[in-house]
Amino acid sequence: MKKLRYSLYLVVMALILNQTISAKEEIRDLELGIRMSQSKEILETEAKAEFSIYPLTSIWLDSPPYKISILKDGMYCALTDKDKNFIIYDLESKKIIFSEKFSYPIYGLTTHPQKNNIVCFGDKMGRITIFDVDKLQKIHTIMELKYPVADAKFSPDGTVLSVAHFGGTISFYDTENWEKLEEAKIHKNSIYTVAFSPDSSMLASGSRDRTVRVTEVGERKPFVILKKPLHLVLCAEFAPQGNFLAAGSADGNVYIWLRTDKEFNDYFKWTHGNWVTSLDFFKDYLFTGCRDGKVRIFDYKNKLLIGMFKSQGNFVRDIKVDSVRNHLLVATKEELLIYDLGEILRLTSSY
């Protein structure tokens, strides 16, 4: 009799647990699945702006690429993949010159703006690795081991490394000795992206809490909280002159704010066909990558979509502009694609 009661207890608990998991999955899918629909006007504009272009190079990897970063001289591309690998790819010889598999997924990846050979990346364990591309070896490791690292960025002047965590905190490190300068709780929830202003004085961060927050470097509290995004903020960047800030969201929108000193005012918004997963500025252009597999090009100062093309993939995970060698790198769900940046701009409606 006791065995029967115990068996019934296990069955009931299993049913409750299964219902709880299913409910959590439904909530998660609902949150991540909702996005704004494109208007008829946007669809018509995109149809007129769309063009076809083939990549110069398609790089197939053993596992789909996740994050990409270009070293300053444009010779190498650092990337991570879904199989926990950190890879250095030689863009001239078109060969992988280094690959190492880690125990945990790597989310954050950034290259030093002054030193051509330095790359930094962070993993799910909370470990931050500084890598020398010339020596093809790790030169320093920071063990935080509190929260997974979501993103990492060097300041444009190269003096500070910011490390964002899924726990909502941001750590700042001195790049001379890698000692911690500050740690601040900026968001209430996971941070997905960080971006320095060009003068290295401000850091923008985007989060699961559906806000973009701008903090002065050295301070512990944001001075601006931008609440326009309706869902997760997945990417953010300052324009080269520092007077615009852009962010991409899982609601399908890219948002652009005009900065005047410490004020950020709504300037422009464009609804994509799916999550805006990545973005990068180049001169007066803004490139966005989307989960619908398309790359869009904006003349953001004039609030115009000037071009759009479908990549050879159904999901653009990350994009980076290589202004030295005039390339656009696109990481899709299947491969890494390298496009001729000049040809892309010639095919836009504004060239």
Side-chain angles (χ1 to χ4, degrees), residues 225-284:
I225 299 177
L226 304 168
K227 297 182 178 180
K228 280 290 179 180
L230 301 176
H231 283 280
L232 322 183
V233 181
L234 303 173
C235 51
E237 288 290 342
F238 278 94
Q241 299 81 13
N243 53 344
F244 289 94
L245 171 64
S249 171
D251 65 12
N253 285 305
V254 62
Y255 299 89
I256 300 180
W257 295 273
L258 175 62
R259 172 194 164 195
T260 305
D261 193 22
K262 290 187 177 182
E263 292 186 1
F264 290 77
N265 298 307
D266 296 344
Y267 187 77
F268 178 56
K269 181 183 80 171
W270 191 270
T271 303
H272 292 52
N274 211 309
W275 300 4
V276 182
T277 58
S278 53
L279 53 85
D280 200 8
F281 283 98
F282 172 69
K283 295 183 177 179
D284 293 331

Side-chain angles (χ1 to χ4, degrees), residues 34-47 228-230 247-256 268-277 286 288-292 294-298 303-305 307-308:
I34 292 176
R35 59 182 183 274
M36 296 182 67
S37 299
Q38 290 180 291
S39 67
K40 181 180 179 182
E41 181 182 1
I42 284 179
L43 290 172
E44 290 175 350
T45 302
E46 289 193 347
K228 280 290 179 180
L230 301 176
S249 171
D251 65 12
N253 285 305
V254 62
Y255 299 89
I256 300 180
F268 178 56
K269 181 183 80 171
W270 191 270
T271 303
H272 292 52
N274 211 309
W275 300 4
V276 182
T277 58
L286 173 66
T288 64
C290 182
R291 199 178 179 186
D292 63 8
K294 296 177 181 178
V295 175
R296 292 166 174 83
I297 307 103
F298 297 91
K303 306 179 182 181
L304 296 173
L305 174 76
M308 181 181 76

Side-chain angles (χ1 to χ4, degrees), residues 151 153 162 164 170 172 186-187 191-198 200-207 211-217 222-224 226 233 235-239 244-247 257 259 264:
D151 197 11
K153 290 288 172 59
S162 67
I170 299 176
F172 297 91
I186 303 297
H187 288 268
I191 301 173
Y192 293 123
T193 181
V194 288
F196 277 98
S197 60
S200 302
S201 66
M202 302 177 185
L203 186 76
S205 52
S207 167
T211 68
V212 177
R213 304 186 180 206
V214 186
T215 308
E216 283 191 288
V217 176
F223 66 86
V224 169
L226 304 168
V233 181
C235 51
E237 288 290 342
F238 278 94
F244 289 94
L245 171 64
W257 295 273
R259 172 194 164 195
F264 290 77

Side-chain angles (χ1 to χ4, degrees), residues 80-265:
T80 64
D81 67 18
K82 296 294 287 183
D83 198 29
K84 308 169 190 173
N85 291 300
F86 168 69
I87 299 166
I88 300 294
Y89 185 84
D90 188 321
L91 293 169
E92 283 195 335
S93 65
K94 300 179 181 178
K95 294 180 180 178
I96 293 174
I97 61 171
F98 180 87
S99 180
E100 181 176 346
K101 186 168 183 174
F102 283 73
S103 301
Y104 299 94
I106 300 170
Y107 299 131
L109 176 68
T110 184
T111 50
H112 198 287
Q114 311 298 332
K115 300 176 182 179
N116 289 336
N117 59 322
I118 299 299
V119 181
C120 169
F121 53 93
D123 63 25
K124 187 178 180 180
M125 187 66 179
R127 177 178 50 190
I128 303 144
T129 301
I130 316 299
F131 188 88
D132 187 320
V133 175
D134 290 339
K135 298 177 181 179
L136 293 179
Q137 65 182 29
K138 293 172 278 189
I139 59 174
H140 191 76
T141 303
I142 301 170
M143 304 293 286
E144 290 196 333
L145 307 181
K146 289 187 297 183
Y147 302 105
V149 174
D151 197 11
K153 290 288 172 59
F154 285 105
S155 61
D157 62 13
T159 62
V160 176
L161 171 67
S162 67
V163 180
H165 307 94
F166 285 133
T169 62
I170 299 176
S171 301
F172 297 91
Y173 290 89
D174 184 330
T175 58
E176 287 297 319
N177 51 30
W178 306 111
E179 291 184 358
K180 184 179 285 189
L181 299 170
E182 185 67 80
E183 182 174 318
K185 177 73 172 179
I186 303 297
H187 288 268
K188 298 177 181 179
N189 215 315
S190 300
I191 301 173
Y192 293 123
T193 181
V194 288
F196 277 98
S197 60
D199 63 2
S200 302
S201 66
M202 302 177 185
L203 186 76
S205 52
S207 167
R208 186 184 178 88
D209 65 16
R210 308 176 187 183
T211 68
V212 177
R213 304 186 180 206
V214 186
T215 308
E216 283 191 288
V217 176
E219 298 296 323
R220 298 178 62 84
K221 299 292 182 182
F223 66 86
V224 169
I225 299 177
L226 304 168
K227 297 182 178 180
K228 280 290 179 180
L230 301 176
H231 283 280
L232 322 183
V233 181
L234 303 173
C235 51
E237 288 290 342
F238 278 94
Q241 299 81 13
N243 53 344
F244 289 94
L245 171 64
S249 171
D251 65 12
N253 285 305
V254 62
Y255 299 89
I256 300 180
W257 295 273
L258 175 62
R259 172 194 164 195
T260 305
D261 193 22
K262 290 187 177 182
E263 292 186 1
F264 290 77
N265 298 307

